[in-house]
């Protein structure tokens, strides 16, 4: 039977990356996407210039990622976390979750990551009771773009954000998340900043929106 793109991406990780070395896993995926097949990972330009620097400056103890896909940004974030910090990542497609688990394991960051196979709308309300989460210091939004706003409001309602919590949203230009941007840039509860970049592995315009919850 035919393999899927995530499965081919995983094969490239097994072939080219050094087990236990998260940077080599990130490099192997970026090479695969540059040389073989485009895939919707945040990529190295947005990843190194924006995602990595926001993670490092936030120095988060508790991170939520919406939309694991193959685990590329999961590995990037986890490799920058301080000891004992935890990253919860939500992925509702079982095939993508299966690939992501193996990418995360190969990178050697599994003990920092809890991959929950499920839908954000169902699991965000369960974060406190199921995982003992108080609030998230950082949330990386990279799932369906038409769900960024709904899930942000859900996190607010569930009391999962505190003063200083950082929301970092991928693709606010391409494919775009217009309702999210409209809300977050006009809400007195957030201080937002746009980081201009390019769509992963292309020259197309894209960027990330960083929003600090003011409480
Ligand atoms: C239903 C909402 N809740 C969800 N809960 C848990 N997991 C979810 C959810 N939504 C989607 N997912 C998962 O996240 C992933 C989806 C990511 C969506 N991302 C994009 O569409 C995307 C798309 C592009 C893109 C840009 C230009 C193009 F020409 C084509 C594609 C670039 C990106 O960086 C992207 O992130 C999948 O693995 C999906 O199964
Ligand atoms: Mg994205």
């Amino acid at each position: 039977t035919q393999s899927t793109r995530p499965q081919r991406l995983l094969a490239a990780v097994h072939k080219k990356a050094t087990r236990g070395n998260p940077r080599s896993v990130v490099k192997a995926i970026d090479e695969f996407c540059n040389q073989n097949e485009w895939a919707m990972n945040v990529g190295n330009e947005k990843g190194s210039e924006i995602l990595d620097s926001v993670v490092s400056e936030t120095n988060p103890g508790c991170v939520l990622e919406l939309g694991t896909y193959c685990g590329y940004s999961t590995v990037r974030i986890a490799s920058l976390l301080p000891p004992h910090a935890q990253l919860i990542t939500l992925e509702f497609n079982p095939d993508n979750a299966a690939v992501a688990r193996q990418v995360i394991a190969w990178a050697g960051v599994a003990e920092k990551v809890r991959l929950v196979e499920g839908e954000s709308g169902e699991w965000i309300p369960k974060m406190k009771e199921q995982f003992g989460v108080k609030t998230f210091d950082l949330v990386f939004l990279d799932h369906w773009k038409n769900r960024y706003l709904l899930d942000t409001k859900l996190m607010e309602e569930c009391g999962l954000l505190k003063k200083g919590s950082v929301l970092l949203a991928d693709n606010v230009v391409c494919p775009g998340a217009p309702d999210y941007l409209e809300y977050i840039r006009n809400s007195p509860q957030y201080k937002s900043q746009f980081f201009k970049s390019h769509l992963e592995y292309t020259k197309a315009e894209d960027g990330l929106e960083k929003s600090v919850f003011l409480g």
Side-chain angles (χ1 to χ4, degrees):
T1 58
Q2 259 295 354
S3 66
T4 65
R5 181 167 304 182
Q7 285 169 335
R8 293 192 292 272
L9 180 149
L10 175 60
V13 166
H14 284 151
K15 188 165 174 228
K16 300 285 184 74
T18 309
R19 202 188 181 96
N21 178 335
R23 305 312 303 165
S24 76
V25 167
V26 166
K27 184 168 175 291
I29 295 171
D30 285 330
E31 277 178 7
F32 173 78
C33 293
N34 274 311
Q35 294 161 17
N36 305 81
E37 302 181 60
W38 188 91
M40 58 183 178
N41 316 119
V42 71
N44 198 45
E45 185 182 357
K46 290 187 286 182
S48 55
E49 291 173 12
I50 307 166
L51 178 61
D52 291 1
S53 52
V54 169
V55 173
S56 303
E57 79 194 11
T58 310
N59 199 33
C62 189
V63 185
L64 175 64
E65 175 179 63
L66 301 177
T68 317
Y69 186 45
C70 295
Y72 174 89
S73 48
T74 320
V75 169
R76 283 201 89 108
I77 297 167
S79 70
L80 294 171
L81 291 182
H84 316 302
Q86 276 294 307
L87 164 56
I88 297 173
T89 184
L90 302 185
E91 174 52 60
F92 72 173
N93 178 306
D95 301 322
N96 294 351
V99 165
R101 282 191 206 288
Q102 295 179 76
V103 168
I104 290 160
W106 194 265
V109 295
E111 81 285 350
K112 289 180 179 285
V113 175
R114 179 180 287 247
L115 195 161
V116 177
E117 203 171 310
E119 203 261 334
S120 53
E122 181 199 334
W123 281 92
I124 286 172
K126 292 179 182 170
M127 283 296 151
K128 294 191 181 228
E129 68 181 288
Q130 293 286 327
F131 305 117
V133 168
K134 286 187 191 61
T135 53
F136 289 109
D137 304 303
L138 172 66
V139 182
F140 181 53
L141 298 93
D142 196 20
H143 58 330
W144 294 154
K145 311 313 160 192
N146 63 5
R147 288 294 300 262
Y148 282 17
L149 178 53
L150 196 73
D151 287 338
T152 297
K153 289 183 172 173
L154 189 54
M155 286 186 285
E156 291 172 10
E157 284 154 26
C158 296
L160 286 166
L161 304 177
K162 72 174 185 300
K163 185 171 167 38
S165 292
V166 174
L167 301 187
L168 186 64
D170 190 25
N171 312 115
V172 295
V173 174
C174 177
D179 61 340
Y180 173 78
L181 281 188
E182 160 83 19
Y183 172 78
I184 209 91
R185 289 176 173 172
N186 296 304
S187 165
Q189 285 196 296
Y190 294 91
K191 174 91 183 73
S192 285
Q193 191 180 357
F194 174 64
F195 292 84
K196 186 176 163 60
S197 187
H198 296 95
L199 178 68
E200 52 266 27
Y201 318 115
T202 77
K203 293 186 169 52
E205 275 206 22
D206 191 17
L208 282 78
E209 189 83 358
K210 177 193 172 192
S211 306
V212 182
F213 188 63
L214 302 175

